Amino acid sequence: MKSWIEVPTDSDFSLANVPFGVCSFPSSSTLSSTTLAPCTPRCCTAIGNHAIDLHLLAEAGLLDNLLMTTESDESRCSEIITNFHPRIVFSQPTLNEFMSCEKHVWVAVRNRLLSLFLDSSSISSSNNHIQIAIQADNRLQQNSALQSQCMHPLSTTLYHLPASIGDYTDFYSSREHATNVGIMFRGRDNALQPNWLHLPVGYHGRSSSVYPSLASSATTAENDCERNLVGGEKMSTVRRPCGQLQVDPLDPAKGSIYGPCKLMDFELEVAFFVGGPTNTDYEQDHNQQQQQPRGRPLTLSEAQDRIFGYVLMNDWSARDIQKWEYVPLGPFTSKNFATTISTWVVTSMALEPFRCETSAGVQGGGGEPTPLEYLKDPNYGSYDVNLSVSIQPSSTSASTQICTSNLKHMYWSLPNSSSTTL
């Protein structure tokens, strides 16, 4: 299975990925006649070395008549999705409207993009990382004029926050991570708090200080385009936070002083965006004599289908400030000054072929607490995704890898986390 668009062998954006993001194209000279100006953020995907403008694909009708496919043991049938309007959805400056659709819409859009990117000389087939049969659609391959307008080099693309983030929750999902941080603050004997094996422990972060990764903006971007960044001003540096620091970490009685953080730290995390329509029941409002929508919690099976996709996240941390301030209500100024995320959202569909057991194997084994019924995940597991961190000093172009990990090192599953927040 191959694409007619060149995809380097080491590319992150092969047919197995097809992520979603928000981009603008300040260097483009081919967008002057289109409905959105080059500096206007719009929804995009990526293949090979190119960002693809989904707004223009929709305007050309290439995302019309999407199919929802259902399968049973006896048959497989498809029907056209009628309540989805791609021209409106993909002209938005965020992915929020797209993410608010049901999962079958996300799947249908991604399948259509795969068919448009697939070389028409390829036969309908599947591979290890694309577990469905895709029939090539040659309408983009044969339209050179549309290609020149909707395909843009990644090197000259300006990336934006993929969504307007109203809230986010930070979870302690990895036992290894929770243990390491616990040792840092409380010593080895009290590393895990008593509640940690009973429920996903989390806290609300400050969404106003979530920024796109510093590596995600084209260096040739014009100033007027940079002012269009979703979520605020373009961040060029992380400001070192100030707060209270213990005079003597071994003797709290000596009090604290005020000053800049001296123990700035990073956290390698994977974040996920939650989507789908509002989860509601209807109850009779006796005052207004009509039914009113009421939110209700998600089940674990519902929570799995609400995960739209994943990004890398660095939750910057001021450890010396955090150690003094976090008792009893948790982190405050030590954790809310900057959170950076990668700008391409890798869909849950793309990661499904990499599903695996977690490093824990099971929850509640070996005499440890068994999760309460609402937290028992029938599909308990994670994904085999290698992760690493490298540091590159400003004085050199060389970087040094300082740690490696894997997304399978999880105790609480991703649906465990999402079901407790919705």
Side-chain angles (χ1 to χ4, degrees):
M1 208 174 186
K2 66 176 182 177
S3 174
W4 57 270
I5 302 169
E6 182 180 359
V7 179
T9 55
D10 60 347
S11 173
D12 292 325
F13 305 116
S14 68
L15 287 172
N17 192 348
V18 190
F20 293 95
V22 172
C23 308
S24 57
F25 307 104
S27 302
S28 174
S29 59
T30 63
L31 293 176
S32 57
S33 61
T34 62
T35 54
L36 294 181
C39 291
T40 301
R42 80 289 307 275
C43 300
C44 295
T45 187
I47 180 76
N49 292 326
H50 290 87
I52 311 296
D53 187 334
L54 296 179
H55 158 67
L56 289 182
L57 292 187
E59 287 288 321
L62 300 192
L63 301 180
D64 290 343
N65 298 322
L66 298 175
L67 296 178
M68 177 176 66
T69 302
T70 56
E71 296 187 15
S72 66
D73 294 338
E74 296 79 20
S75 63
R76 182 174 188 267
C77 60
S78 299
E79 59 181 285
I80 294 176
I81 298 172
T82 58
N83 57 347
F84 177 65
H85 307 286
R87 290 166 180 79
I88 297 173
V89 169
F90 292 126
S91 65
Q92 303 302 309
T94 69
L95 291 171
N96 290 62
E97 190 158 346
F98 180 44
M99 291 193 297
S100 71
C101 298
E102 294 188 67
K103 184 175 181 178
H104 68 260
V105 176
W106 310 339
V107 173
V109 169
R110 184 171 180 268
N111 287 349
R112 176 63 59 83
L113 293 173
L114 284 169
S115 69
L116 289 169
F117 299 155
L118 185 63
D119 192 330
S120 59
S121 63
S122 299
I123 61 172
S124 175
S125 62
S126 61
N127 64 21
N128 290 336
H129 300 319
I130 304 175
Q131 297 182 326
I132 55 174
I134 298 293
Q135 181 68 49
D137 180 338
N138 64 10
R139 287 178 294 170
L140 179 59
Q141 184 178 2
Q142 296 183 352
N143 190 335
S144 58
L146 181 57
Q147 290 176 33
S148 67
Q149 288 192 321
C150 76
M151 298 177 62
H152 303 271
L154 293 176
S155 59
T156 60
T157 295
L158 182 63
Y159 305 102
H160 306 264
L161 273 180
S164 177
I165 302 171
D167 190 18
Y168 88 87
T169 306
D170 193 331
F171 283 98
Y172 255 173
S173 296
S174 165
R175 184 171 187 168
E176 292 85 352
H177 172 64
T179 300
N180 288 338
V181 173
I183 291 172
M184 186 187 308
F185 291 151
R186 295 180 297 276
R188 188 171 297 277
D189 293 338
N190 299 301
L192 280 185
Q193 297 280 24
N195 64 347
W196 197 90
L197 291 170
H198 291 267
L199 78 165
V201 174
Y203 70 93
H204 286 287
R206 187 171 72 179
S207 58
S208 62
S209 55
V210 179
Y211 298 97
S213 170
L214 297 180
S216 298
S217 296
T219 56
T220 57
E222 299 171 358
N223 289 336
D224 57 344
C225 281
E226 292 184 358
R227 286 197 294 270
N228 279 332
L229 276 172
V230 175
E233 182 180 340
K234 180 176 182 289
M235 185 181 69
S236 58
T237 58
V238 174
R239 185 183 297 276
R240 185 177 295 270
C242 292
Q244 289 197 25
L245 314 172
Q246 285 184 273
V247 173
D248 183 352
L250 300 179
D251 186 2
K254 292 183 180 179
S256 61
I257 59 172
Y258 180 80
C261 165
K262 298 177 182 178
L263 294 177
M264 182 72 83
D265 196 7
F266 67 88
E267 287 186 344
L268 170 59
E269 300 187 16
V270 173
F272 60 87
F273 284 96
V274 176
T278 304
N279 206 51
T280 57
D281 287 331
Y282 284 85
E283 297 179 1
Q284 188 70 33
D285 188 321
H286 296 290
N287 293 324
Q288 299 184 24
Q289 299 299 311
Q290 60 183 3
Q291 288 191 332
Q292 296 294 322
R294 297 286 189 267
R296 67 169 178 83
L298 292 174
T299 65
L300 274 173
S301 59
E302 289 174 326
Q304 178 67 61
D305 285 343
R306 294 301 183 93
I307 298 177
F308 174 75
Y310 304 85
V311 292
L312 292 175
M313 185 170 104
N314 179 4
D315 199 21
W316 299 73
S317 303
R319 296 299 186 197
D320 43 2
I321 298 174
Q322 181 180 359
K323 185 175 183 179
W324 180 242
E325 74 174 9
Y326 87 105
V327 179
L329 296 181
F332 183 44
T333 56
S334 60
K335 297 281 285 185
N336 67 10
F337 58 95
T339 300
T340 48
I341 64 172
S342 56
T343 50
W344 289 112
V345 184
V346 179
T347 66
S348 57
M349 295 80 79
L351 285 190
E352 199 56 33
F354 303 95
R355 179 169 285 278
C356 66
E357 289 188 348
T358 71
S359 57
V362 296
Q363 293 171 314
E368 293 180 341
T370 300
L372 297 180
E373 195 63 33
Y374 80 101
L375 286 172
K376 289 182 179 178
D377 187 349
N379 300 308
Y380 178 65
S382 187
Y383 299 105
D384 185 6
V385 177
N386 291 321
L387 304 165
S388 65
V389 173
S390 297
I391 290 181
Q392 179 182 319
S394 59
S395 59
T396 177
S397 60
S399 61
T400 301
Q401 187 177 93
I402 60 172
C403 75
T404 60
S405 188
N406 193 292
L407 190 54
K408 66 184 178 183
H409 296 312
M410 305 280 281
Y411 184 84
W412 294 107
S413 71
L414 299 164
N416 279 153
S417 300
S418 61
S419 67
T420 58
T421 59
L422 298 172

